[in-house]
Amino acid sequence: MPERNKPNINPETSEVNPISETASETDKTSSSQNDIEKPQIISTQPRDCTEESKKKIKTKFKILIAIGILFFFAIAIMIIGATAQKTLDLDTKGELKNASFYYPSDWNISVDDENTLQVVSPEKTSSALLTIMDESLLDNYPSNRPNDSFYNEFADGVDKQHGELEDFSVGECTGKRFTCSFNSNNVSLRGECAVVFDGAKPVVITAFSSDATYRDAMSDIIDSFYCYYHKHSLNDWVVDKEASCTEEGKKHAACTECGKIIEESIPKLNHTEGEWKITKDISISSNGTVTPGTETLYCSVCGNEMNTRAYTIEVTTSQKNALKKANQYLSYTAFSYTGLIDQLEFEGFSTEDSTFAASHCGADWDKQAEKKAKQYMNYSAFSRSGLINQLEYEGFTSEQAAHGADSVGL
């Protein structure tokens, strides 16, 4: 009986290999003649790929990854190519008074007047605008100079969605720079804006384009911007109002370059010292104790108070005695100012000491006139004019005498 071909079993993997296709025709014939079907030998181990199959799978996977990467880069290159930034040959200088910028020579000037210069690209997709603003924009700002509030309000006026304000300077001129966008005739324009203070007015440069490929070029135009700091050259000052020690004066002059009228104030003059005057007299008690008073220095031109200081005196023994005697007299009868001085002189005090005592005894001379009028009316009858004459005789002034007559009903 012929021997059958046996399956090849790999001793390492226990994998059953197919029966060799080179079996002899004799075996095939013999096998076919056998009426009994031969059972297949099945491996009881899991079926794994051969090393060759694994390599093929890995190769296919790498190819797929490579294709994916190439596809990604192709898309990226298409996107970048669509928005690739173009440069401009900024070879032409545009000037407006003390400011300037550069733009391509094929751009056309669309506006050129005293305070504005605008150039536009041939396709009318890009433009640059230089403007000298009116100084009245600074009227509401301290010293008529821009501050952060000014720049924020200006940027909001250009574009409320503007980019962050960045410090910007050209020469001695300083200001702010920011990105901005807006729509014009349903066309979206994007670009940059810069505003600086040239010492007199705000100066603005704006560059914008509807073509996304020229956005960086707009920034280059802003970079080319320059502005000279304007220093006024003034003619002779004209005094509009002279200064005094109470008010500032005013003067003005015109700038010989820009024509602006510059106004300035003239500082107040210094006060001129006059004399010290007693504004609050000293008070002296009956025993001669002095409470200081106040004296004030006044300007001899305007009369305004310039300074104050304490005022006091040294009281001599004779002055103390005169003062004591004056108070004794006033305690039992009425006197006028001059009448008291006369009485003290009669007592032997000098005119100086008598006057000192009458001046510092603290008497109210209107009250003394009332008291003296009442004394006269107590022992005699008087007409009004007669009583007034009598009080004047006693040394009271006409006003004090009339006041005394009034006090007794005459």
Side-chain angles (χ1 to χ4, degrees), residues 9-17 43-49:
I9 300 176
N10 191 322
E12 293 181 358
T13 63
S14 300
E15 183 179 357
V16 178
N17 294 327
S43 173
T44 59
Q45 299 296 324
R47 181 178 179 86
D48 292 332
C49 296

Side-chain angles (χ1 to χ4, degrees), residues 19-178:
I19 298 176
S20 173
E21 294 180 357
T22 60
S24 65
E25 291 296 326
T26 304
D27 289 339
K28 291 180 182 178
T29 304
S30 175
S31 176
S32 62
Q33 292 175 353
N34 195 338
D35 295 330
I36 302 173
E37 188 176 351
K38 310 306 189 286
Q40 289 184 335
I41 299 175
I42 306 297
S43 173
T44 59
Q45 299 296 324
R47 181 178 179 86
D48 292 332
C49 296
T50 63
E51 289 298 322
E52 185 179 354
S53 298
K54 290 181 179 179
K55 290 180 179 179
K56 289 181 179 180
I57 292 173
K58 288 181 178 179
T59 301
K60 290 180 180 179
F61 185 68
K62 289 180 180 178
I63 291 173
L64 288 174
I65 292 176
I67 292 173
I69 292 173
L70 289 174
F71 179 76
F72 170 79
F73 277 107
I75 296 298
I77 290 171
M78 291 174 63
I79 294 174
I80 293 173
T83 59
Q85 291 297 300
K86 301 176 183 178
T87 59
L88 291 174
D89 186 9
L90 305 180
D91 55 1
T92 303
K93 186 177 184 180
E95 295 182 278
L96 182 66
K97 294 184 178 179
N98 59 321
S100 64
F101 69 97
Y102 284 87
Y103 62 92
S105 58
D106 63 344
W107 284 27
N108 302 310
I109 296 176
S110 63
V111 179
D112 186 8
D113 58 29
E114 183 180 2
N115 295 311
T116 305
L117 173 62
Q118 184 175 22
V119 292
V120 181
S121 66
E123 305 84 4
K124 301 188 184 304
T125 57
S126 304
S127 177
L129 176 66
L130 176 61
T131 306
I132 309 295
M133 307 297 287
D134 194 288
E135 66 269 19
S136 62
L137 290 175
L138 303 174
D139 286 348
N140 297 325
Y141 297 91
S143 302
N144 294 103
R145 298 180 66 88
N147 56 17
D148 287 344
S149 295
F150 169 82
Y151 291 119
N152 287 326
E153 291 173 6
F154 178 85
D156 288 343
V158 175
D159 174 18
K160 288 191 175 295
Q161 304 299 321
H162 61 79
E164 182 179 355
L165 271 65
E166 300 177 355
D167 291 337
F168 182 67
S169 62
V170 285
E172 296 180 66
C173 305
T174 59
K176 298 291 183 180
R177 178 178 182 168
F178 56 92

